[in-house]
C-alpha cells in the first residue's frame, strides 16, 4: 500500500556488535573489566603493596588513614591496604581451586557412572546422594577440625561437597548420549569404550 514503509533491521556493526555477540550486553563487558582489574591487583599484590602484610608495628596500632597508610592499620599496626591486597589472592585462589577440582572430579565420576551403568552407576549414585545430605560448609568445618587450619583442607572439603552437582548433571547427559546412533557407529568401527566416552561422548555433553 501507498504510504507504508517496511523497516528492515540491519545487523549491528562495529564495536557494539562485537560486544553484544560476545557477552549479550554492554554491562557484561564492564563486569569483565572490573573482574580483570581485581584479578590483576591480586596477582600484582607483591609489587603494589607498600608494606609487608605480616609486619608488626605496635607503636602505630589502630592508626587512621593517612598518606603512609591509606586504609589505616589494625590493632597490631599492620597496614590494612597491604593486607587487603594479599588477602585478594587467597579469596581468588581458594574458590578457583574449588571450581576446578569439583568440576574435574564431578565430570570424571559422572562420566564413569553414566557410561558404565549397572552396579557402578548404582554405587556412585548412592555416594552422590550421601554427599548431598551434608552441607558444604558443615563438611568444610569437619575437615578443618580433623586436619587443622589452612587452605588445603577447606578446598578439599568444598570440592567434595560441590562435586555431586556436576557429577549428576554429567551422568544424565552421558546416559542420553550413550544410546545415540553415533556411539553405535563408533563401536562398529572398532573404537574402544574408553576412547568413545572420553573423545566423543564427553565433548558432546560439554557442548550440551
Amino acid at each position: 500500500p501507498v504510504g507504508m514503509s517496511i523497516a528492515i533491521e540491519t545487523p549491528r556493526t562495529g564495536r557494539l556488535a562485537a560486544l553484544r555477540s560476545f557477552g549479550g550486553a554492554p554491562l557484561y563487558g564492564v563486569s569483565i573489566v572490573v573482574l580483570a582489574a581485581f584479578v590483576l591487583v591480586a596477582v600484582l599484590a607483591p609489587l603494589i603493596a607498600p608494606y609487608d602484610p605480616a609486619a608488626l608495628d605496635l607503636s602505630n596500632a589502630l592508626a587512621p588513614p593517612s598518606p603512609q597508610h591509606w586504609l589505616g592499620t589494625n590493632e597490631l599496626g599492620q597496614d590494612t591496604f597491604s593486607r587487603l591486597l594479599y588477602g585478594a589472592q587467597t579469596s581468588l585462589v581458594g574458590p578457583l581451586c574449588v571450581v576446578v577440582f569439583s568440576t574435574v572430579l564431578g565430570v570424571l565420576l559422572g562420566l564413569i557412572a553414566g557410561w558404565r551403568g549397572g552396579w557402578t552407576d548404582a554405587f556412585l549414585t548412592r555416594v552422590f546422594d550421601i554427599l548431598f545430605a551434608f552441607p558444604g560448609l558443615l563438611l568444610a568445618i569437619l575437615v578443618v577440625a580433623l586436619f587443622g587450619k589452612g587452605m588445603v583442607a577447606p578446598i578439599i572439603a568444598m570440592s567434595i561437597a560441590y562435586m555431586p552437582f556436576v557429577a549428576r548433571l554429567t551422568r544424565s547427559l552421558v546416559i542420553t548420549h550413550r544410546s545415540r546412533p553415533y556411539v553405535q557407529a563408533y563401536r562398529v568401527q572398532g573404537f574402544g569404550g574408553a576412547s568413545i566416552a572420553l573423545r566423543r561422548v564427553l565433548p558432546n555433553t560439554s557442548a550440551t
Side-chain angles (χ1 to χ4, degrees):
V2 179
M4 296 181 62
S5 60
I6 301 176
I8 301 177
E9 183 178 356
T10 57
R12 295 183 176 91
T13 58
R15 297 180 180 179
L16 182 59
L19 180 61
R20 288 186 177 276
S21 63
F22 181 74
L27 185 59
Y28 180 85
V30 176
S31 303
I32 291 297
V33 172
V34 173
L35 181 60
F38 277 115
V39 173
L40 184 63
V41 168
V43 172
L44 299 179
L47 301 177
I48 300 176
Y51 299 95
D52 183 356
L56 302 179
D57 186 8
L58 298 179
S59 62
N60 201 25
L62 298 177
S66 63
Q68 292 76 25
H69 301 280
W70 292 359
L71 298 180
T73 61
N74 60 9
E75 64 276 5
L76 299 178
Q78 298 169 324
D79 184 65
T80 304
F81 180 66
S82 300
R83 293 178 63 81
L84 183 64
L85 293 178
Y86 276 89
Q89 294 181 336
T90 303
S91 300
L92 290 174
V93 171
L96 177 62
C97 292
V98 170
V99 171
V100 171
F101 294 155
S102 61
T103 301
V104 172
L105 186 60
V107 168
L108 180 60
L109 293 179
L111 178 63
I112 294 174
W115 182 257
R116 296 289 296 178
W119 68 268
T120 304
D121 183 22
F123 173 77
L124 290 177
T125 302
R126 298 291 81 78
V127 172
F128 300 154
D129 292 338
I130 293 173
L131 292 176
F132 272 122
F134 292 92
L137 183 59
L138 179 61
L139 184 60
I141 294 174
L142 178 61
V143 173
V144 171
L146 292 176
F147 299 101
K149 59 183 180 179
M151 282 287 295
V152 177
I155 288 176
I156 294 176
M158 299 301 291
S159 300
I160 295 175
Y162 286 109
M163 176 270 298
F165 295 95
V166 181
R168 179 163 289 185
L169 176 61
T170 304
R171 171 185 173 273
S172 62
L173 293 175
V174 170
I175 291 176
T176 302
H177 282 264
R178 187 179 60 185
S179 58
R180 292 190 175 179
Y182 77 90
V183 174
Q184 304 302 325
Y186 281 117
R187 290 185 184 275
V188 171
Q189 296 179 36
F191 287 88
S195 176
I196 298 174
L198 292 174
R199 301 181 60 182
R200 310 299 175 183
V201 175
L202 185 59
N204 288 333
T205 57
S206 62
T208 306

